[in-house]
Amino acid sequence: MRTLSPTLLKTALAVGGVALVAVVIVAVILAGRDSGESELLADSMAGQDTQVQVGEGTAMVWVSSSGSGDPRPGGEPDPGLCSVTGQGMPSLADPDTTDTTTIGETTLYPVAQVEDYTAPMKVVCSGGSIDHVYVMR
């Protein structure tokens, strides 16, 4: 049986360490890439503070109900169903989309878009048959 020389062993360990670091760096880069999916920033029950603790810029406000239908009065986005407070001058506007989305089996309906926010911020929505509020970007 042959034994490895100390120099060969040190070289093999160094190469293995460099390879491990390279794999970790690639994994971190891939994890940081935008997957095209929305990121849930916060959620709460209707009428409660939906507290967003991260981010800045623009976020979408979505709502759902425990029933099977659209919880928004009139079935259309309505920023007037919500209020926003926070750092800077966040404001509510019509959402960029009127299409629904899902989280698991729950259908979400767009109600408003928060513009110019800086965390932390609070969004409160109520009205219609809204049961749950989601803030996503």
Side-chain angles (χ1 to χ4, degrees), residues 14-118:
V15 169
V18 168
L20 180 61
V21 169
V23 168
V24 169
I25 289 171
V26 168
V28 168
I29 289 170
L30 290 177
R33 286 184 12 187
D34 183 12
S35 65
E37 293 184 17
S38 297
E39 174 187 7
L40 179 63
L41 300 174
D43 67 299
S44 70
M45 300 303 293
Q48 303 296 314
D49 289 348
T50 309
Q51 299 187 23
V52 176
Q53 300 295 330
V54 297
E56 62 182 32
T58 302
M60 287 284 294
V61 181
W62 302 83
V63 295
S64 68
S65 71
S66 56
S68 60
D70 189 333
R72 304 168 300 180
E76 296 291 325
D78 183 359
L81 295 171
C82 303
S83 63
V84 62
T85 58
Q87 301 287 327
M89 299 288 290
S91 61
L92 293 167
D94 287 327
D96 281 344
T97 184
T98 56
D99 296 336
T100 61
T101 191
T102 59
I103 292 181
E105 294 183 17
T106 303
T107 301
L108 307 182
Y109 298 84
V111 69
Q113 181 169 300
V114 180
E115 297 178 337
D116 301 322
Y117 89 91
T118 300

